[in-house]
Amino acid sequence: MKKLNNPFVVYGYKGAEYFCDRVSETEKIIKGLSNERNITLIAPRRIGKTGLIHHVFAKIHESQPDVCCIYFDILSTKTLEQFVQLMARNVLGRLDSPTHSLDIVKNQEEQSLHRIFEYLKLSGKRCYIAIDEFQQITKYSEADTEALLRSFIQFVPNVYFIFAGSKQHMMSDMFLSPERPLYQGAQIVNITEINERVYYGFASGMFSERGQQLPESVFHYIYNKVEGQTWYVQAILNRIYSNQQETITDIDVDVAIQELIDEEEVAFENYYQSLTANQAALLLAIAKEVNVKSPMAQSFISKYKLPALSSIKAALASLTDSQFIYQYNGGYIVYDRFFGMWLRERID
């Protein structure tokens, strides 16, 4: 494979050479799948969950080329019908002739799913299917989607699933609550930030290959700025690498971050303007605090002159549901680290 111009990949999976760590998680997932287990992979968005799935599939392809690995993301689906259509597009034709087709008939989603799973079963081929943002099925109007999927999944002996999701509480409820259909239906794998020392070894090696120096103290500065969240670390390293300084300093990091924030300013302004007054006030207060343990605390409400407690509760629920904020390290933070920085710098 031709070497990349910039080794700090921000989008997609470009191969093991550009993938940092996740050794234990990779081994755990491959071992689980190999031993007839479904996997539930839970992680916040932009922590590297999707990249890990593709890395796992690449490793499996190296050692077991006959295994079919399929990935699709269902975040954009709104109904069971859309889910079935997306699954059909990604599955059919992968195990035999690409001319195989399936007509999805409205109000016959169950029959269509049955045909997809029959297709998988009759192929006899071992298959691993990763469904990303799996918690999306809980938003479908069809209340029995979880039970319907379970009824098919448990009777296909040659197919195993990775159910990946970014809304941790929803994913945990689906697979750890005894009253839910998918209870104990998969082995749980949680992923968190890449270890800072390991990440530094990876990053400094990439810089040194081109004759640049990334001091450990500077990497620590980057890592702490975004609390080790993979996508943001990668974005900063990608920009610094492209700027080609011989020895990287904290000032270079600040310049790179400012460039990245400036490029998103129009989007950030639109995000902020789309909020109600109460939502905007709460979001800004959380951004200024960075991490808020108790957003209902009177001291926090008074400090930022926030509205009544009932309004705060409603705004908190809305901001969490839309993923403007999420719970992290025992508190609430602005989900997009760069958006949080923009709010702190630009909004009074």
Side-chain angles (χ1 to χ4, degrees):
M1 179 185 292
K2 184 179 178 181
K3 290 185 73 68
L4 300 180
N5 292 333
N6 193 315
F8 297 103
V9 177
V10 179
Y11 298 106
Y13 176 75
K14 306 297 183 182
E17 180 181 356
Y18 306 105
F19 188 81
C20 178
D21 195 35
R22 304 296 190 200
V23 175
S24 63
E25 295 96 330
T26 299
E27 291 177 350
K28 188 180 295 184
I29 294 170
I30 292 175
K31 184 178 179 180
L33 292 171
S34 298
N35 285 280
E36 282 60 60
R37 296 294 305 276
N38 295 315
I39 301 293
T40 297
L41 181 61
I42 304 175
R45 289 179 66 194
R46 295 191 169 185
I47 206 73
K49 151 179 67 67
T50 302
L52 175 58
I53 293 170
H54 288 296
H55 185 64
V56 164
F57 282 175
K59 290 289 186 184
I60 290 171
H61 183 71
E62 285 178 7
S63 60
Q64 305 170 68
D66 290 338
V67 174
C68 181
C69 296
I70 298 170
Y71 166 91
F72 58 99
D73 185 330
I74 65 169
L75 186 61
S76 63
T77 63
K78 306 299 182 189
T79 63
L80 178 59
E81 179 187 6
Q82 292 177 355
F83 173 90
V84 173
Q85 290 174 336
L86 184 59
M87 186 173 185
R89 286 199 301 272
N90 283 276
V91 170
L92 299 178
R94 293 293 301 275
L95 306 179
D96 59 8
S97 167
T99 60
H100 190 106
S101 63
L102 171 65
D103 293 327
I104 306 300
V105 180
K106 197 170 184 62
N107 299 322
Q108 292 187 12
E109 290 82 12
E110 184 172 347
Q111 296 92 319
S112 297
L113 264 182
H114 175 74
R115 292 173 65 187
I116 294 171
F117 277 91
E118 274 297 296
Y119 165 78
L120 288 165
K121 183 178 179 180
L122 292 174
S123 76
K125 188 169 185 176
R126 192 171 187 89
C127 186
Y128 300 143
I129 299 177
I131 306 177
D132 211 348
E133 300 300 345
F134 186 70
Q135 74 279 337
Q136 188 68 15
I137 70 169
T138 64
K139 297 186 176 182
Y140 299 165
S141 58
E142 299 86 356
D144 61 347
T145 299
E146 290 175 55
L148 180 62
L149 286 175
R150 181 182 182 276
S151 70
F152 291 122
I153 288 167
Q154 63 183 338
F155 295 116
V156 186
N158 55 310
V159 181
Y160 297 92
F161 289 82
I162 298 175
F163 305 108
S166 59
K167 291 196 173 182
Q168 294 159 289
H169 67 287
M170 294 173 71
M171 291 292 291
S172 295
D173 284 348
M174 289 172 73
F175 291 93
L176 296 178
S177 298
E179 67 272 15
R180 301 288 283 271
L182 293 170
Y183 174 61
Q184 293 187 333
Q187 175 183 336
I188 307 294
V189 177
N190 288 284
I191 63 170
T192 56
E193 300 80 7
I194 297 170
N195 176 271
E196 183 178 347
R197 185 176 295 274
V198 173
Y199 209 158
Y200 172 66
F202 169 81
S204 62
M206 292 297 185
F207 277 98
S208 65
E209 280 186 18
R210 199 170 70 171
Q212 295 175 268
Q213 292 183 9
L214 177 66
E216 188 166 3
S217 61
V218 176
F219 183 80
H220 179 71
Y221 182 66
I222 296 170
Y223 194 91
N224 277 4
K225 272 277 189 181
V226 293
E227 297 180 278
Q229 192 162 8
T230 311
W231 187 90
Y232 298 96
V233 175
Q234 287 289 107
I236 296 167
L237 292 172
N238 179 285
R239 182 56 55 94
I240 291 170
Y241 190 88
S242 71
N243 289 343
Q244 300 189 16
Q245 290 90 354
E246 186 174 330
T247 300
I248 315 303
T249 67
D250 288 357
I251 294 173
D252 297 322
V253 173
D254 290 336
V255 168
I257 291 174
Q258 197 58 59
E259 288 176 359
L260 291 163
I261 290 173
D262 289 346
E263 289 167 10
E264 295 294 325
E265 183 157 28
V266 172
F268 292 158
E269 286 177 347
N270 288 336
Y271 294 158
Y272 190 68
Q273 293 299 325
S274 72
L275 302 173
T276 66
N278 289 343
Q279 291 167 358
L282 179 58
L283 182 67
L284 181 59
I286 291 172
K288 289 185 179 298
E289 288 290 304
V290 182
N291 190 308
V292 178
K293 305 295 183 187
S294 303
M296 307 297 176
Q298 190 57 49
S299 57
F300 174 71
I301 293 172
S302 299
K303 180 177 180 179
Y304 291 100
K305 299 180 174 59
L306 296 175
L309 189 60
S310 59
S311 298
I312 293 296
K313 286 181 179 179
L316 186 69
S318 178
L319 290 171
T320 302
D321 185 61
S322 58
Q323 291 195 297
F324 277 110
I325 62 173
Y326 77 101
Q327 289 181 279
Y328 177 81
N329 279 354
Y332 289 88
I333 70 167
V334 177
Y335 164 70
D336 187 319
R337 298 300 202 275
F338 294 154
F339 187 30
M341 293 177 193
W342 180 83
L343 287 165
R344 287 193 290 276
E345 293 172 3
R346 309 289 171 89
I347 306 297
D348 294 327

